[in-house]
Amino acid sequence: MPVLRGALLATCWAASLTWTSSAQADAGFERCLAGLRGDALARGVSAATFDRITRDLQPDMSVLERLDYQPEFKLPIWDYLAALVDDERVAEGRAMLARWRDTLGKIESEYGVDAATVVAVWGVESNYGKSFGKRPLLTSLSTLSCYGRRQPFFRGEFLTTLRIVDEGHLQPDRLVGSWAGAFGHTQFMPSTFMRIAVDFDGDGRRDIVDSIPDALASTANYLRRSGWRDGQTWGYEVRLPSGFDESLAGRKSKRALSQWSALGVRALVPGQGKAGASAQSQGMATDAKAGLLLPAGPQGPAFLVFRNFDAIYSYNAAESYALAIAHLADQLRGGGAFITPWPTDDVGLSRAGRRELQTLLVLRGHDIGEIDGMIGSRSREAIKAEEQRLGMTPSGRAGQKILRLLRDDKR
Ligand code: CA
């Protein structure tokens, strides 16, 4: 359930939920869990596991705030990519490629997905295993099974989580993740885990939390099942002819490469159109179908995207997300930044830049919480205050301009 999975990438929220009677809520929760027992057993969960786990569960009402959270601040695509594909993530990804080379080679030959793509998904999903999310899955999913507006969906995920425990893949204390239940290196939902996760290290358990080989192979298996074609590229940056009809754009508006070519769409880097990481790579056939992506409109970078882009897209159902993974994979193979600049005079900040900005905000007395490179509501309020003080229009956005101004601002 991709829309619900993005808790790790989401920014902070501020809301509160009050309960007039927690005792009432707890009694309701117990009744609700008892009502799930029959379903659980019908799905193959043992009575012993169901009883042992549900006995101690308490609801966590804070997940309901996340369920109904509406972001008030939409990141421009250049900010989104600046933090997801920054020098740190490229350097760490290259280190991971080297460290897991043998495993990734075996994964590539078994699943037909190249190492750079698998590692790029890992880097974006969990920052190479450093950000799994911190919420106990069974607590979040049981709460969402009994309260809120998506109970049928979350009941399925909750009961599947019980099966994961029952089958011995993972212990409950290892099942922590996003508020919505995405967990492990790959940030799979429990139902995705059941369909897709594999035991690649051969210990008999599918473990995407404590086994990196299992997690990386599960990612490759996901992409393969989503239609990944070995040896083909996700796509590449293109140049549009002047006067191009932008209504032709759209990931789903597929045309043959030869048609795009006839319309005057050209690869920006000569020789692009092949998968750099794969020995059997070839240019895309002229009848290969591609969509045209204009993530920031016709003035920004443009991309032709093929079937493998759709496979990445299926991981999280957002084009910006798929572009981040595709771009990170290219950079892990030695590729550079996009050639066409984003249509802005204030480009986004890497995580290092965001940490520097946060440090400058703290030095000016703002309480922004932890200096972690995550721009939440408190950081944005502090940025607004500084923008106002410096005579800028307050936007709350963490960009190069405010960073430079604060750097040079000798008080
Ligand atoms: Ca295993």
Side-chain angles (χ1 to χ4, degrees):
M1 198 31 239
V3 178
L4 295 168
R5 296 181 339 115
L8 289 175
L9 304 176
T11 47
C12 298
W13 78 101
S16 68
L17 241 157
T18 48
W19 285 85
T20 45
S21 162
S22 64
Q24 241 172 26
D26 287 357
F29 185 65
E30 276 176 33
R31 264 199 311 279
C32 169
L33 289 182
L36 296 176
R37 196 171 188 271
D39 275 356
L41 270 48
R43 285 176 182 236
V45 177
S46 71
T49 295
F50 184 88
D51 294 341
R52 176 169 55 87
I53 285 174
T54 54
R55 194 175 49 216
D56 300 325
L57 278 179
Q58 297 288 329
D60 173 7
M61 294 305 182
S62 71
V63 294
L64 297 173
E65 298 166 19
R66 300 309 305 262
L67 180 66
D68 293 322
Y69 169 68
Q70 299 285 336
E72 85 289 3
F73 186 89
K74 192 176 182 308
L75 278 183
I77 177 87
W78 45 88
D79 280 352
Y80 178 80
L81 289 175
L84 278 180
V85 189
D86 61 10
D87 292 348
E88 272 175 87
R89 213 176 307 261
V90 173
E92 288 178 49
R94 287 192 183 145
M96 290 301 179
L97 278 173
R99 181 162 158 202
W100 295 97
R101 183 169 43 217
D102 292 350
T103 303
L104 287 161
K106 285 181 200 143
I107 288 171
E108 182 164 354
S109 38
E110 187 154 340
Y111 297 95
V113 184
D114 67 279
T117 300
V118 170
V119 168
V121 174
W122 186 21
V124 168
E125 282 291 328
S126 66
N127 195 18
Y128 309 109
K130 290 198 288 283
S131 309
F132 283 173
K134 291 180 181 146
R135 291 174 181 267
L137 244 62
L138 289 159
T139 298
S140 301
L141 292 173
S142 59
T143 306
L144 292 162
S145 295
C146 293
Y147 304 99
R149 56 186 172 78
R150 302 218 46 202
Q151 294 175 33
F153 168 74
F154 284 111
R155 283 178 185 187
E157 297 297 333
F158 175 58
L159 299 181
T160 303
T161 309
L162 294 177
R163 270 185 63 203
I164 292 171
V165 174
D166 207 25
E167 291 179 12
H169 298 298
L170 283 153
Q171 294 297 312
D173 65 342
R174 302 306 295 147
L175 287 165
V176 291
S178 76
W179 66 270
F183 69 102
H185 290 274
T186 59
Q187 294 288 289
F188 281 174
M189 290 295 286
S191 56
T192 307
F193 174 96
M194 269 302 174
R195 280 189 300 118
I196 303 285
V198 295
D199 170 26
F200 201 69
D201 63 14
D203 71 348
R205 298 184 307 118
R206 300 190 271 161
D207 181 353
I208 58 169
V209 177
D210 292 314
S211 165
I212 289 173
D214 284 10
L216 296 179
S218 296
T219 293
N221 191 37
Y222 189 102
L223 292 170
R224 183 177 68 164
R225 298 261 210 111
S226 305
W228 186 270
R229 294 278 173 83
D230 190 14
Q232 295 189 1
T233 183
W234 63 269
Y236 44 84
E237 193 181 350
V238 293
R239 177 167 48 81
L240 305 177
S242 61
F244 183 80
D245 175 8
E246 62 179 281
S247 73
L248 299 176
R251 185 177 59 88
K252 292 181 179 168
S253 301
K254 308 268 196 225
R255 284 178 174 72
L257 194 49
S258 56
Q259 287 176 283
W260 289 117
S261 185
L263 287 163
V265 176
R266 299 280 180 271
L268 261 176
V269 175
Q272 251 185 358
K274 50 187 182 180
S278 183
Q280 70 272 41
S281 74
Q282 295 163 354
M284 298 299 291
T286 55
D287 62 350
K289 294 274 203 262
L292 177 70
L293 218 61
L294 302 176
Q299 303 309 319
F303 307 91
L304 279 185
V305 296
F306 298 91
R307 185 190 176 98
N308 282 354
F309 187 84
D310 294 332
I312 303 172
Y313 174 89
S314 72
Y315 216 102
N316 205 8
E319 286 171 3
S320 50
Y321 168 90
L323 189 61
I325 287 175
H327 191 38
L328 178 58
D330 280 353
Q331 295 213 5
L332 293 178
R333 299 180 189 111
F338 298 137
I339 293 166
T340 308
W342 294 109
T344 173
D345 62 353
D346 187 12
V347 296
L349 294 177
S350 66
R351 287 170 295 165
R354 290 173 193 207
R355 288 195 297 269
E356 185 187 351
L357 176 60
Q358 287 179 319
T359 305
L360 291 168
L361 292 170
V362 168
L363 285 173
R364 278 162 182 76
H366 296 285
D367 175 17
I368 56 136
E370 203 185 331
I371 294 174
D372 55 5
M374 312 267 279
I375 303 297
S377 55
R378 283 194 285 177
S379 292
R380 278 200 294 278
E381 286 309 313
I383 292 167
K384 272 187 200 166
E386 290 300 316
E387 286 174 316
Q388 220 143 19
R389 187 177 66 79
L390 294 163
M392 297 167 70
T393 309
S395 68
R397 188 182 151 253
Q400 292 283 356
K401 274 189 183 172
I402 185 69
L403 175 60
R404 268 195 307 254
L405 278 174
L406 289 179
R407 235 184 231 161
D408 299 342
D409 178 37
K410 305 274 187 284
R411 290 188 307 166

